[in-house]
Amino acid sequence: GDSVTQMEGPVTLSEEAFLTINCTYTATGYPSLFWYVQYPGEGLQLLLKATKADDKGSNKGFEATYRKETTSFHLEKGSVQVSDSAVYFCALISTSGTYKYIFGTGTRLKVLA
Amino acid sequence: ETGVTQSPTHLIKTRGQQVTLRCSSQSGHNTVSWYQQALGQGPQFIFQYYREEENGRGNFPPRFSGLQFPNYSSELNVNALELDDSALYLCASSAVGGGRTDTQYFGPGTRLTVL
């Protein structure tokens, strides 16, 4: 079945450091890909998405490119801030049966001042 | 525009009891999906409702059931609660009845604790 694999956390960075969170997927067909962010005690917020190969999603300084050849959708940010501390989830829309989201296990990011 | 809302925020139940969680979808959205997020895990799909009909189900037993109302709000019912049902329950709404480019918008969740 379809699945998403994320790098394990926690990831601890100093402010202004470069961030990469790896995400790879397994899916039949051509799923859309998403990054969601979850702050403590809150639900999930959409960060960015890409719907076809080579699309780049971007928002708030975060970027991710849909790489069909490597089945990856890595999240990057050039300079992180303390306020970016949260849990980040990579997800895809499964195209097998119901169009449901399949999430990775999440990667916790902690940014130190 | 009102976002997705859920009630209650927190709930404590004992094993064997029944619980109902509620969700109001974002204005203009006709599809609601429910997810279970165990501590330290990603959300797991429970089921989806589109125009008051169940439109797909994940790997959850029949004691997890739902409803969608004409105003597109929704309920999640769980019977015979088990300790493992303790989790954050997330509701998400979307505008187009599913689809490979559909974006789901999540509510803040209901934290259920089963003792």
Side-chain angles (χ1 to χ4, degrees), chain A residues 30 32 36 49 51 93 98 101, chain B residues 37 55-56 100 102-104:
Chain A
Y30 302 98
S32 293
Y36 279 82
K49 73 177 193 180
T51 60
I93 289 187
T98 302
Y101 276 42
Chain B
Q37 185 180 15
N55 188 39
R100 62 171 296 280
D102 193 27
T103 298
Q104 297 188 2

Side-chain angles (χ1 to χ4, degrees), chain A residues 30-34 36 38 41-46 49-52 66 89 93 95 98-106, chain B residues 33 35 37 40-45 48 55-58 88 90 97-109 111:
Chain A
Y30 302 98
S32 293
L33 302 173
F34 302 79
Y36 279 82
Q38 187 174 36
E42 298 185 12
L44 275 68
Q45 299 177 23
L46 177 67
K49 73 177 193 180
T51 60
K52 61 182 187 296
Y66 191 142
F89 291 94
I93 289 187
T95 56
T98 302
Y99 290 105
K100 61 179 181 286
Y101 276 42
I102 294 176
F103 286 87
T105 54
Chain B
S33 301
Y35 295 83
Q37 185 180 15
Q41 300 296 316
Q44 299 290 317
F45 175 73
Q48 183 182 87
N55 188 39
R57 190 178 184 91
L88 181 68
L90 295 166
R100 62 171 296 280
T101 63
D102 193 27
T103 298
Q104 297 188 2
Y105 296 88
F106 285 79
R111 172 73 61 189

Side-chain angles (χ1 to χ4, degrees), chain A residues 8-104:
Chain A
E8 287 195 20
V11 173
T12 303
L13 296 173
S14 298
E15 208 166 23
E16 299 184 5
F18 184 85
L19 169 70
T20 300
I21 300 178
N22 291 336
C23 170
T24 57
Y25 68 90
T26 301
T28 55
Y30 302 98
S32 293
L33 302 173
F34 302 79
W35 277 100
Y36 279 82
V37 59
Q38 187 174 36
Y39 298 99
E42 298 185 12
L44 275 68
Q45 299 177 23
L46 177 67
L47 185 57
L48 53 84
K49 73 177 193 180
T51 60
K52 61 182 187 296
D54 300 324
D55 265 4
K56 177 185 282 188
S58 62
N59 185 26
K60 299 180 182 178
F62 291 90
E63 293 184 340
T65 301
Y66 191 142
R67 301 286 188 198
K68 181 169 171 286
E69 63 277 10
T70 55
T71 61
S72 65
F73 193 54
H74 303 322
L75 182 68
E76 296 181 336
K77 187 176 186 184
S79 175
V80 293
Q81 305 300 312
V82 172
S83 58
D84 294 326
S85 298
V87 181
Y88 292 81
F89 291 94
C90 184
L92 61 80
I93 289 187
S94 173
T95 56
S96 304
T98 302
Y99 290 105
K100 61 179 181 286
Y101 276 42
I102 294 176
F103 286 87

Side-chain angles (χ1 to χ4, degrees), chain B:
Chain B
E1 182 179 277
T2 307
V4 178
T5 60
Q6 292 185 243
S7 63
T9 305
H10 295 88
L11 204 51
I12 299 175
K13 292 286 189 178
T14 56
R15 201 168 42 175
Q17 286 189 310
Q18 178 267 343
V19 68
T20 297
L21 309 181
R22 294 178 175 83
C23 170
S24 292
S25 59
Q26 189 166 311
S27 176
H29 288 184
N30 58 19
T31 302
V32 172
S33 301
W34 285 91
Y35 295 83
Q36 180 195 67
Q37 185 180 15
L39 200 60
Q41 300 296 316
Q44 299 290 317
F45 175 73
I46 302 175
F47 44 54
Q48 183 182 87
Y49 279 83
Y50 171 60
R51 293 185 177 177
E52 302 177 59
E53 296 286 334
E54 187 178 290
N55 188 39
R57 190 178 184 91
N59 190 26
F60 281 80
R63 59 190 185 84
F64 285 78
S65 63
L67 283 172
Q68 188 180 30
F69 300 100
N71 65 355
Y72 304 129
S73 65
S74 177
E75 286 182 355
L76 163 65
N77 298 291
V78 187
N79 293 323
L81 284 167
E82 301 177 359
L83 297 179
D84 284 349
D85 295 334
S86 295
L88 181 68
Y89 288 84
L90 295 166
C91 168
S93 73
S94 53
V96 294
R100 62 171 296 280
T101 63
D102 193 27
T103 298
Q104 297 188 2
Y105 296 88
F106 285 79
T110 294
R111 172 73 61 189
L112 173 65
T113 301
V114 182
L115 302 177

